[in-house]
């Protein structure tokens, strides 16, 4: 049977849909019997959903800085 | 994985996309607000901190010029991430900076100390509070620890995390960009994720980081 540490190593592949039918079955058997690993997989999914937003949103000054350079570049293009 | 990519990075609303492609200023500002810091983190992992801001600025100018060519096949985040990677590579070529990424395939797996020798959990994960998933890493108490963790992370691990999990780029494409084998990339990405997992787990359990 799959060990907890092995399940953790393979959980990325599971969530990416890369495991074979047989591998998914042994995964499912383990999860059925092991609440720690059930919790691990559930929380890993939550973590992965949180990563795209982990740097937060830019503030107004950062946005304005970007927009100012875009405007300057536009004007530059028009002059040439 | 598409469920992850479409959550806070993609899921481009038709109205937002139409406004962007029509050159709407407010819509573009919104785009910058949502993605600027994540894109700076991608550039940072390739060109380093001192040049990241300038590279991302150039990337925004390119994105603004090419907005009409965005076809909506990838999420906006992924499309922007690709532009940033291209500009980062051009920057390195232009200034002839050889920046070889640290290879760290020998560093230990961050969760290794959580298992007994038999492979069972010796310290199982804590139960995380039921906050909304998108906010998990945005807790203000975690901000400094998260910065440190990402700052100390070896370049390849950080690039993988920023490109794959934050940028939603396909795995194969990232392996090509980083000239790294798929099997090494998987190991490194798992380590990066495990470090974040440990950080959140510790915070959820103790209230500090
Ligand atoms: Zn288990």
């Amino acid at each position: 049977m799959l060990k907890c540490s092995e399940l953790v190593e393979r959980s990325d592949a599971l969530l990416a849909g890369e495991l074979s039918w047989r591998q998914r079955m042994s995964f499912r058997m383990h999860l059925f019997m092991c609440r720690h690993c059930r919790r691990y997989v559930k929380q890993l999914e939550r973590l992965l959903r949180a990563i795209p937003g982990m740097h937060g949103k830019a503030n107004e000054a950062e946005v304005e800085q970007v927009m100012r350079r875009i405007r300057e570049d536009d004007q530059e293009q028009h002059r040439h | 994985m598409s469920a992850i990519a479409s959550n806070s990075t993609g899921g481009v609303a038709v109205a937002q996309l139409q406004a962007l492609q029509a050159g709407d200023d407010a819509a573009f500002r919104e785009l910058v607000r949502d993605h600027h810091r994540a894109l700076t983190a991608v550039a940072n992992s390739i060109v380093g901190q001192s040049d990241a801001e300038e590279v991302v600025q150039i990337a925004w100018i390119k994105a603004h010029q090419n907005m009409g060519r965005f076809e909506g096949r990838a999420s906006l985040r992924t499309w922007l991430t690709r532009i940033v990677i291209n500009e980062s590579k051009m920057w390195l070529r232009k200034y002839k900076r050889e920046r070889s990424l640290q290879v760290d395939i020998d560093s230990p797996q961050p969760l290794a100390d959580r298992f007994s020798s038999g492979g069972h959990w010796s310290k199982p994960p804590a139960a995380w509070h039921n906050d909304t998933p998108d906010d998990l890493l945005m807790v203000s108490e975690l901000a400094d620890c998260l910065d440190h963790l990402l700052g100390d992370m070896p370049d390849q691990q950080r690039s993988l995390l920023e490109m794959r999990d934050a940028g939603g780029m396909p795995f194969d494409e990232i392996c090509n960009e980083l000239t790294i084998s798929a099997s090494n990339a998987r190991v490194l990405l798992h380590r990066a994720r495990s470090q974040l997992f440990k950080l959140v787990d510790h915070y959820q359990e103790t209230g500090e980081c």
Side-chain angles (χ1 to χ4, degrees):
Chain A
M1 179 166 136
L2 206 57
K3 294 174 187 167
C4 299
S5 56
E6 291 168 340
L7 183 138
V8 165
E9 293 285 340
R10 289 176 204 176
S11 49
D12 294 7
L14 175 86
L15 296 181
E18 291 167 349
L19 293 188
S20 67
W21 183 84
R22 189 185 284 273
Q23 287 170 317
R24 286 201 307 277
M25 280 302 134
S26 70
F27 221 94
R28 208 176 288 178
M29 284 242 292
H30 184 112
L31 288 184
F32 182 69
M33 294 190 288
C34 179
R35 67 193 168 90
H36 297 321
C37 285
R38 275 203 298 281
R39 180 183 277 174
Y40 171 78
V41 171
K42 200 178 84 196
Q43 294 181 169
L44 177 65
E45 284 185 283
R46 282 182 65 187
L47 178 72
L48 294 184
R49 279 199 298 273
I51 290 175
M54 72 179 168
H55 295 291
K57 295 193 177 197
N59 61 33
E60 202 43 42
E62 291 169 299
V63 175
E64 185 46 39
Q65 164 76 8
V66 170
M67 297 308 285
R68 192 173 54 80
R69 286 280 300 272
I70 288 174
R71 283 194 300 273
E72 284 170 6
D73 185 74
D74 263 359
Q75 283 159 6
E76 190 79 5
Q77 299 289 321
H78 283 298
R79 261 202 296 274
H80 296 299
Chain B
M1 274 305 189
S2 61
I4 292 159
S6 70
N7 209 323
S8 44
T9 51
V12 189
V14 176
Q16 188 202 1
L17 190 53
Q18 281 173 345
L20 280 169
Q21 297 194 318
D24 181 276
D25 208 49
F28 201 83
R29 294 184 85 93
E30 193 61 38
L31 191 72
V32 174
R33 188 169 299 122
D34 285 348
H35 302 290
H36 183 67
R37 289 196 181 172
L39 297 177
T40 307
V42 172
N44 187 344
S45 76
I46 306 172
V47 298
Q49 190 163 19
S50 52
D51 295 330
E53 217 165 294
E54 184 56 23
V55 167
V56 173
Q57 182 63 64
I58 297 167
W60 277 123
I61 292 170
K62 294 274 165 69
H64 190 256
Q65 288 166 349
N66 291 297
M67 204 62 241
R69 283 188 221 158
F70 176 71
E71 290 171 323
R73 256 185 260 158
S75 72
L76 274 168
R77 171 68 69 87
T78 302
W79 184 70
L80 292 166
T81 301
R82 285 202 179 102
I83 297 176
V84 168
I85 293 171
N86 280 334
E87 291 307 320
S88 300
K89 284 162 64 183
M90 277 173 60
W91 182 274
L92 290 180
R93 267 200 297 273
K94 195 166 157 195
Y95 296 101
K96 296 199 182 70
R97 277 180 216 172
E98 283 293 320
R99 217 180 117 81
S100 55
L101 293 165
Q102 306 156 251
V103 183
D104 69 310
I105 208 72
D106 294 325
S107 68
Q109 143 74 309
L111 289 170
D113 59 355
R114 306 287 291 264
F115 298 101
S116 68
S117 53
H120 290 287
W121 288 99
S122 55
K123 186 178 183 324
W128 296 0
H129 310 127
N130 274 322
D131 306 309
T132 52
D134 289 2
D135 287 337
L136 202 58
L137 287 160
M138 284 299 293
V139 189
S140 54
E141 288 90 338
L142 277 183
D144 285 345
C145 297
L146 185 59
D147 275 355
H148 279 137
L149 190 149
L150 294 172
D152 290 345
M153 206 178 261
D155 295 334
Q156 280 187 332
Q157 278 189 42
R158 196 152 51 99
S159 290
L160 275 160
L161 187 76
E162 299 293 358
M163 292 178 188
R164 175 76 205 105
D165 288 344
M169 279 183 48
F171 201 74
D172 301 352
E173 203 179 323
I174 299 171
C175 293
N176 276 334
E177 293 292 357
L178 299 176
T179 50
I180 181 176
S181 73
S183 58
N184 281 0
R186 276 172 220 284
V187 171
L188 294 179
L189 181 61
H190 182 66
R191 274 181 208 157
R193 290 172 170 181
S194 296
Q195 286 190 55
L196 285 182
F197 190 95
K198 255 183 135 163
L199 175 78
V200 176
D201 200 58
H202 183 72
Y203 173 74
Q204 294 276 334
E205 190 186 11
T206 63
E208 43 197 54
C209 67

